[in-house]
């Protein structure tokens, strides 16, 4: 007997799983037999596995699997492994797996970058400032040299970081001195990017490291190899090839204005910016336009999903239809001719959903094939040609389009607030600096910085917890910076517009946002762009007044709806860099009180940062704010001080700066 429920039951039983837009699409899709995550969540025969949830199921050898209950000594592993060892081992493996996703992404970017530097690809060295930043990090001579020669050196050094066996990564140099010294002292400075993954997989193999603290130490080292190594390389090289993003206006949401009724809609989903870039270029070609017209379409409309969406919107203003949980809904709108996917966060169900529509799901990476999808391999040497082929396939599908289900629900956003663009906005083009931000944190107008990362999840009403945390922080004068699907959810809730400051921000934050013309929540890019957060934190430290280490900053991170191992990797590199990170819902070591207590408390003595777990989004925001106030107290900046924000001299200075970045955005209040 089919377990599919009627639309009425769907609404009743699934309340709280999806936003209203997705519920609406899902109900009409279910009527034609489509199953999405909403039905799958609802129809699960068992809720969740206690051992899997708490991290105490050990299946790394065939003596087991052993399912360990911490409080029941007779359940320890056949080999004697305790709940603490198993939970720490599983945690380290998850961090390594999450890191590997960013590492492999970065490696592919580095190979593409080298091919580009040799003139073998369709791309070029576009951003010399970004090139010089990376060159300086590697001590590469810049003066008087051709950009291609510098790029070749940068490419070689970047590739060498992956296979390096000794010493420590160059990327660590972008951290404050004190942090670098702590990493060296505690032995968590990564030696080589891939080496740390191999080390983690080895030591978590049967019969190796059985000391939970030592396991967490290696989890920290592999996570740092991701954040300060691979992700920083990916972001840096992408910026050089495709230009560092600048604030740009666009739209988000699953609806009209994002998806088009009369154009060929092609969605780009995954994480690889190379394909996004190629599709953005090719979709503008007159031949493509002509082909679309020939089949009765008004043109071609590119739309993003997940981090491919984030890449597209930041660099080209390509609208974003949603994040992880909206991917099936995008197809179920009936308005998508092709969903093109590459790597990471792609649901296996997509071809199954697409069967009910005219949509073709196209995989493009041999790392991520799906049964039922069409595979067209993309590589560095054929990117534009493949992009053309894919777009023409989508165009050919347009006449087959049936009924569409689209409502007016787009949200305007301003995205692309990288570390550099924020500097320009704050200090102007010629005196780019974080100083005004530091000053406003010191004088208390802004209490601190709240970083929101990670996925959206059907465990909550997708996006709700992220938005609730963001609004609570903003209301209490904490500036929000978001990446990945969390950033998209902030956009869907209207928080990524400068006008949102008027509606949602506390007095102090609102005043600063209005003076600068920025939203109270800043969109800082994709998952690998969490490296931009690290560089931003270093700048906060170096500008002065906020301590000499990340652990002293009035800042905290969170991932209210995390689902991916990648989020754990990001969280662990923040913790290993000295920050508080709060995760919502399940935490994968909860089956061991000892390990969880270490991660949430003891680890702070070792690396300066720590985890916290809080399900309630309001409480989560307050946990972050308590931490921020504690740091402010320790810095001595909570004592009453004269308000110095934007006195006349500062305002005159701002006015003098032409092209400060504010004008580029055209934001309200500037
Ligand atoms: S895409 S890892 S669902 S943020 Fe980077 Fe979104 Fe999470 Fe994937």
């Amino acid at each position: 007997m089919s377990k599919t429920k009627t639309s009425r039951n769907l609404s009743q039983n699934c309340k709280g799983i999806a936003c209203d837009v997705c519920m609406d699409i899902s109900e009409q899709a279910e009527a034609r037999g489509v199953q999405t995550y909403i039905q799958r969540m609802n129809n699960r025969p068992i809720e969740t596995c206690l051992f899997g949830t708490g991290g105490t199921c050990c299946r790394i050898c065939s003596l087991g699997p052993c399912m360990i209950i911490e409080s029941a000594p007779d359940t320890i592993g056949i080999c004697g492994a305790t709940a603490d060892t198993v939970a720490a081992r599983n945690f380290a493996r998850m961090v390594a797996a999450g890191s590997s996703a960013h590492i492999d992404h970065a490696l592919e970017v580095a190979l593409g970058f080298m091919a580009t530097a040799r003139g073998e690809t369709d791309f070029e060295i576009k951003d010399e400032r970004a090139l010089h930043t990376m060159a300086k990090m590697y001590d590469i001579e810049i003066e008087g040299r051709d950009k291609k020669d510098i790029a070749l050196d940068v490419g070689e050094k970047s590739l060498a970081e992956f296979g390096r066996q000794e010493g420590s990564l160059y990327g660590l140099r972008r951290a404050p001195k004190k942090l670098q010294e702590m990493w060296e002292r505690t032995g968590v400075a990564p030696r080589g990017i891939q080496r740390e993954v191999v080390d983690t997989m080895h030591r978590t193999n049967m019969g190796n490291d059985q000391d939970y603290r030592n396991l967490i130490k290696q989890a920290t080292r592999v996570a740092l190899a991701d954040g300060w190594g691979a992700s920083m390389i990916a972001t840096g090289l992408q910026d050089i090839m495709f230009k560092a993003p600048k604030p740009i206006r666009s739209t988000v949401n699953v609806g009209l204005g994002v998806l088009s009724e009369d154009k060929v809609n092609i969605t780009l989903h995954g994480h690889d910016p190379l394909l996004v870039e190629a599709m953005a270029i090719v979709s503008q070609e007159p031949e493509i336009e002509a082909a679309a017209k020939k089949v009765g379409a008004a043109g071609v409309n590119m739309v993003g999903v997940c981090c491919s969406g984030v890449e597209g919107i930041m660099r080209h203003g390509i609208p974003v239809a949603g994040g992880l949980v909206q991917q099936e809904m995008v197809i179920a709108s009936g308005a998508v001719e092709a969903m093109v996917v590459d790597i990471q966060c792609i649901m296996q169900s997509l071809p199954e959903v697409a069967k009910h529509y005219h949509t073709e799901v196209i995989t493009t990476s041999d790392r991520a094939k799906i049964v039922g999808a069409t595979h067209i391999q993309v590589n560095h040497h054929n990117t534009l040609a493949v992009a053309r082929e894919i777009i023409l396939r989508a165009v050919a599908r347009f006449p087959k389009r049936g009924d569409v289900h689209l409502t007016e629900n787009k949200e305007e956003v301003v995205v692309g607030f990288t570390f550099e663009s924020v500097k320009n906005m704050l200090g102007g083009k010629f005196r780019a600096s974080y100083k005004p931000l530091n000053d406003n944190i010191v004088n208390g107008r802004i209490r601190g910085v709240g970083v929101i990362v990670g996925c959206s999840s059907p465990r909550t009403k997708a996006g709700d917890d992220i938005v609730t945390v963001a609004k609570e922080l903003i209301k209490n004068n904490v500036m929000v910076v978001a990446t990945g699907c969390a950033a998209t959810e902030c956009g869907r809730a209207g928080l990524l517009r400068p006008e949102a400051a008027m509606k949602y921000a506390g007095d102090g934050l609102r005043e600063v946002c209005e003076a600068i013309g920025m939203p109270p929540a800043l969109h800082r890019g994709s998952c690998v762009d969490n490296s931009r957060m690290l560089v931003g934190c270093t700048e906060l430290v170096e500008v002065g007044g906020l301590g000499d280490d990340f652990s002293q900053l009035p800042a905290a991170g969170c991932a209210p709806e995390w689902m991916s191992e990648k989020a754990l990797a990001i969280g662990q590199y923040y913790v290993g860099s000295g920050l508080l990170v709060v995760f919502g819902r399940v935490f994968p070591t909860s089956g061991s009180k000892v390990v969880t207590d270490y991660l949430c408390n003891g680890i702070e003595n070792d690396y300066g940062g720590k985890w916290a777990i809080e399900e309630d989004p309001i409480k989560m925001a307050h946990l972050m704010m308590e931490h921020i106030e504690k740091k402010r107290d320790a810095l001595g900046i909570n004592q009453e001080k004269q308000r110095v924000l934007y006195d006349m001299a500062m305002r005159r200075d701002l006015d003098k700066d032409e092209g400060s970045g504010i004008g580029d955005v055209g934001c309200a209040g500037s």
Side-chain angles (χ1 to χ4, degrees):
M1 199 175 71
S2 166
K3 288 169 88 184
T4 307
K5 293 175 174 62
T6 64
S7 292
R8 187 204 294 264
N9 280 341
L10 173 76
S11 310
Q12 285 168 351
N13 294 330
C14 302
K15 208 159 180 270
I17 290 181
C19 69
D20 295 344
V21 180
C22 291
M23 286 305 292
D24 181 37
I25 296 176
S26 177
E27 283 184 9
Q28 62 81 32
E30 191 181 24
R32 55 198 290 173
V34 180
Q35 296 269 310
T36 66
Y37 77 88
I38 295 181
Q39 289 81 17
R40 292 194 296 274
M41 279 288 284
N42 200 31
N43 293 345
R44 276 182 310 174
I46 44 168
E47 264 298 291
T48 44
C49 164
L50 191 69
F51 301 100
T53 305
T56 54
C57 173
C58 185
R59 41 179 290 278
I60 62 168
C61 79
S62 67
L63 294 180
C66 297
M67 286 159 286
I68 300 166
I69 301 169
E70 191 178 26
S71 55
D74 54 343
T75 66
I76 62 167
I78 305 290
C79 69
T82 61
D84 310 338
T85 299
V86 173
R89 204 153 56 186
N90 286 335
F91 179 80
R93 283 196 164 201
M94 289 179 86
V95 171
S99 298
S100 298
H102 295 147
I103 291 168
D104 212 27
H105 168 153
L107 180 59
E108 204 54 47
V109 169
L111 291 167
F113 180 85
M114 266 312 264
T116 300
R118 287 194 212 104
E120 295 166 3
T121 72
D122 300 316
F123 305 104
E124 52 185 303
I125 306 303
K126 272 194 186 161
D127 191 329
E128 282 196 60
R129 189 169 82 158
L131 177 66
H132 290 176
T133 301
M134 290 293 280
K136 278 181 201 153
M137 184 179 93
Y138 291 131
D139 293 334
I140 292 169
E141 187 61 46
I142 297 169
E143 278 319 306
R145 296 188 70 205
D146 184 78
K147 68 177 179 182
K148 281 205 170 158
D149 294 332
I150 302 173
L152 282 169
D153 287 353
V154 166
E156 259 171 35
K157 288 271 190 187
S158 297
L159 280 171
E161 290 291 85
F162 292 88
R164 186 179 180 138
Q165 303 301 328
E166 290 176 324
S168 48
L169 297 176
Y170 279 101
L172 305 185
R173 296 172 170 200
R174 296 186 79 179
K177 260 260 137 333
K178 197 169 163 193
L179 192 48
Q180 294 181 43
E181 285 163 9
M182 180 276 281
W183 289 331
E184 291 297 339
R185 191 177 63 247
T186 54
V188 292
R191 298 152 291 187
I193 296 172
Q194 290 173 330
R195 176 166 185 190
E196 301 310 346
V197 178
V198 174
D199 182 315
T200 310
M201 295 311 285
H202 176 196
R203 79 172 60 215
T204 55
N205 203 250
M206 194 272 163
N208 289 306
D209 200 348
Q210 282 147 121
D211 173 337
Y212 72 89
R213 279 179 61 146
N214 209 39
L215 282 157
I216 300 299
K217 178 179 170 184
Q218 179 57 23
T220 308
R221 184 148 58 170
V222 73
L224 293 173
D226 169 359
W228 293 91
S231 289
M232 199 163 281
I233 288 173
T235 298
L237 301 187
Q238 286 165 193
D239 281 355
I240 298 170
M241 284 188 284
F242 312 133
K243 246 188 173 321
K246 282 188 181 158
I248 183 169
R249 282 189 185 275
S250 188
T251 51
V252 296
N253 224 338
V254 194
L256 282 173
V258 174
L259 291 164
S260 169
E261 264 183 322
D262 56 1
K263 291 184 180 172
V264 176
N265 290 309
I266 302 173
T267 53
L268 305 167
H269 172 19
H271 285 75
D272 188 348
L274 217 73
L275 182 61
V276 175
E277 201 65 20
M279 296 285 277
I281 295 169
V282 171
S283 63
Q284 306 295 323
E285 292 177 349
E287 297 77 21
I288 296 291
E289 189 78 9
K293 296 252 157 72
K294 215 169 161 188
V295 296
V300 170
N301 181 43
M302 309 299 296
V303 180
V305 176
C306 274
C307 280
S308 290
V310 171
E311 293 287 350
I313 198 170
M314 281 200 310
R315 292 198 167 90
H316 299 282
I318 293 173
V320 175
L324 177 87
V325 290
Q326 287 90 23
Q327 56 187 286
E328 294 167 303
M329 304 305 162
V330 178
I331 295 179
S333 71
V336 173
E337 276 60 49
M339 177 166 269
V340 187
V341 303
D342 48 58
I343 47 165
Q344 302 171 22
C345 304
I346 298 149
M347 288 188 181
Q348 185 173 349
S349 58
L350 293 184
E352 204 47 47
V353 176
K355 269 187 196 164
H356 297 265
Y357 304 88
H358 69 305
T359 314
E360 182 173 30
V361 177
I362 301 171
T363 53
T364 57
S365 166
D366 65 3
R367 289 177 181 86
K369 291 187 174 181
I370 310 175
V371 174
T374 305
H375 186 75
I376 303 176
Q377 184 63 42
V378 173
N379 66 49
H380 310 136
H381 304 287
N382 68 359
T383 330
L384 288 188
V386 170
R388 234 169 256 126
E389 181 189 344
I390 289 172
I391 294 179
L392 290 174
R393 284 180 81 96
V395 167
R397 292 233 163 193
F398 182 77
K400 297 182 190 154
R401 191 190 279 186
D403 291 342
V404 301
H405 191 82
L406 289 171
T407 49
E408 270 302 344
N409 55 23
K410 67 170 180 179
E411 282 290 338
E412 303 287 334
V413 293
V414 183
V415 303
F417 291 92
T418 62
F419 152 69
E420 291 83 2
S421 63
V422 170
K423 255 171 95 169
N424 285 343
M425 284 190 76
L426 292 167
K429 201 171 185 177
F430 303 107
R431 274 189 296 277
S433 166
Y434 263 37
K435 185 149 190 334
L437 177 59
N438 282 42
D439 288 347
N440 281 302
I441 294 174
V442 171
N443 70 26
R445 239 356 111 74
I446 297 175
R447 307 305 298 174
V449 180
V451 176
I452 309 184
V453 308
C455 330
S456 48
S457 161
R459 284 178 183 278
T460 167
K461 186 174 173 179
D464 249 24
D465 285 359
I466 290 166
V467 173
T468 305
V469 173
K471 283 185 179 168
E472 192 65 14
L473 292 174
I474 290 166
K475 186 174 97 185
N476 288 285
N477 296 309
V478 174
M479 190 175 96
V480 166
V481 189
T483 56
C485 293
T488 298
E489 290 298 346
C490 288
R492 276 162 41 88
L495 302 179
L496 300 184
R497 289 175 298 174
E499 307 82 59
M502 257 106 78
K503 193 165 170 191
Y504 299 109
D507 291 348
L509 179 61
R510 183 171 63 234
E511 205 169 323
V512 177
C513 289
E514 282 176 358
I516 296 166
M518 69 178 192
L522 299 182
H523 180 290
R524 186 153 282 180
S526 64
C527 293
V528 291
D529 288 337
N530 281 301
S531 63
R532 298 190 199 275
M533 304 282 195
L534 301 177
V535 181
C537 284
T538 299
E539 185 74 5
L540 283 175
V541 168
E542 279 173 3
V543 162
L546 298 175
D548 53 7
D549 199 357
F550 283 17
S551 63
Q552 289 173 273
L553 288 174
C558 70
E561 301 180 28
W562 78 281
M563 67 88 206
S564 168
E565 289 165 323
K566 290 182 286 171
L568 274 183
I570 295 164
Q572 190 62 24
Y573 71 65
Y574 280 179
V575 168
S577 302
L579 296 168
L580 168 76
V581 177
V582 193
F583 264 33
R585 311 276 156 173
V586 289
F587 198 78
T589 62
S590 59
S592 162
K593 281 197 187 71
V594 173
V595 173
T596 307
D597 182 57
Y598 174 66
L599 287 169
C600 294
N601 295 297
I603 195 169
E604 193 174 17
N605 299 325
D606 293 334
Y607 314 117
K610 63 178 178 179
W611 290 88
I613 307 151
E614 178 52 64
E615 199 166 305
D616 182 306
I618 296 286
K619 287 186 186 157
M620 180 182 285
H622 283 268
L623 251 177
M624 294 167 76
M625 290 187 287
E626 274 162 32
H627 180 82
I628 284 171
E629 292 305 323
K630 210 172 86 189
K631 296 295 171 185
R632 293 182 62 86
D633 285 340
L635 287 166
I637 57 175
N638 263 350
Q639 290 135 21
E640 272 301 299
K641 278 201 183 124
Q642 224 190 330
R643 288 158 55 130
V644 291
L645 172 78
Y646 289 102
D647 57 19
M648 287 315 289
M650 285 175 79
R651 282 184 188 277
R652 272 197 300 277
D653 282 348
L654 274 178
D655 291 344
K656 268 190 268 169
D657 289 334
E658 279 177 11
S660 64
I662 299 166
D664 298 343
V665 187
C667 299
S670 57

